[in-house]
Amino acid sequence: MIIETGKFYFIKDEFFELVKDKELCANKERGTKRPCFYCFKDKKYENLIWFIPISSKIEKYRRIYDKKMKRTGIVDTIVFGYVEGEERAFLIQNMFPTTKEYIVEKYKKQNRDVVVNSRLEKELKMKANKILNLVEKGYNKIVFPDIMAIKNIVLN
């Protein structure tokens, strides 16, 4: 399977069982395809792919976003955008890395790939990479999962 940046994928239960991180947005029901994750490739490791969960709970994440915005004046961990005409919250704060062997399949609707517009894709990449750089420098409280530990697990 060829993994394409900017597309949505479903992750296998085995991945969540392997990494055992309670902060991950894991599959909701065993065997079902929920949630789907927006992906982008790692800059350094060719086989490492980063996934950002999306949520339809807009009001919940709008409140969190507004609270963070009042406190800090900038929020790079939650991004709002449209997927298939519906507003979604992209949860960079819950992103994680994995490799293609833990991907079930690409999310398609009416037999075509689900995508976001180029403006949203650019914003997601920029903010996610900014957060990744900060985590790599030791600011690991920016995201909920222990993404550096997960990265080590899937690379080894």
Side-chain angles (χ1 to χ4, degrees):
M1 173 184 331
I2 297 171
I3 308 305
E4 299 174 79
T5 293
K7 303 292 172 81
F8 294 85
Y9 293 86
F10 298 102
I11 305 298
K12 293 178 182 177
D13 289 335
E14 291 87 351
F15 168 77
F16 300 104
E17 292 163 5
L18 173 70
V19 300
K20 294 179 177 80
D21 190 313
K22 64 182 176 20
E23 298 296 338
L24 287 174
C25 295
N27 292 338
K28 298 295 181 196
E29 300 164 27
R30 297 188 67 71
T32 63
K33 296 177 184 160
R34 236 180 100 224
C36 68
F37 300 90
Y38 176 84
C39 88
F40 65 98
K41 294 193 179 177
D42 191 86
K43 291 180 178 181
K44 297 175 192 167
Y45 298 95
E46 186 177 306
N47 63 334
L48 195 67
I49 307 151
W50 289 90
F51 290 90
I52 300 171
I54 63 170
S55 176
S56 61
K57 297 177 181 175
I58 299 302
E59 284 131 33
K60 172 185 176 178
Y61 290 106
R62 185 77 66 197
R63 283 191 304 273
I64 294 168
Y65 178 94
D66 290 345
K67 186 177 176 182
K68 285 183 177 185
M69 185 60 86
K70 282 182 182 175
R71 196 174 66 238
T72 64
I74 188 165
V75 180
D76 290 325
T77 55
I78 301 171
V79 173
F80 297 95
Y82 286 84
V83 178
E84 293 292 307
E86 300 285 330
E87 189 174 24
R88 297 290 182 250
F90 289 77
L91 306 176
I92 294 172
Q93 65 191 12
N94 295 97
M95 71 181 169
F96 62 90
T98 192
T99 53
K100 72 179 183 178
E101 59 264 23
Y102 294 108
I103 299 171
V104 176
E105 66 182 316
K106 189 185 297 181
Y107 176 42
K108 292 181 175 241
K109 196 153 189 177
Q110 297 175 343
N111 215 23
R112 62 177 181 73
D113 294 351
V114 173
V115 297
V116 297
N117 66 45
S118 59
R119 183 201 59 76
L120 179 56
E121 183 173 358
K122 185 177 178 179
E123 180 181 8
L124 288 167
K125 250 178 146 175
M126 189 252 326
K127 288 184 175 184
N129 280 310
K130 178 181 176 182
I131 296 301
L132 275 175
N133 289 334
L134 288 169
V135 171
E136 287 174 351
K137 291 177 182 175
Y139 297 95
N140 55 359
K141 299 294 182 197
I142 298 172
V143 294
F144 293 111
D146 186 346
I147 60 176
M148 292 295 101
I150 295 169
K151 182 177 173 180
N152 288 331
I153 291 169
V154 298
L155 288 176
N156 298 316

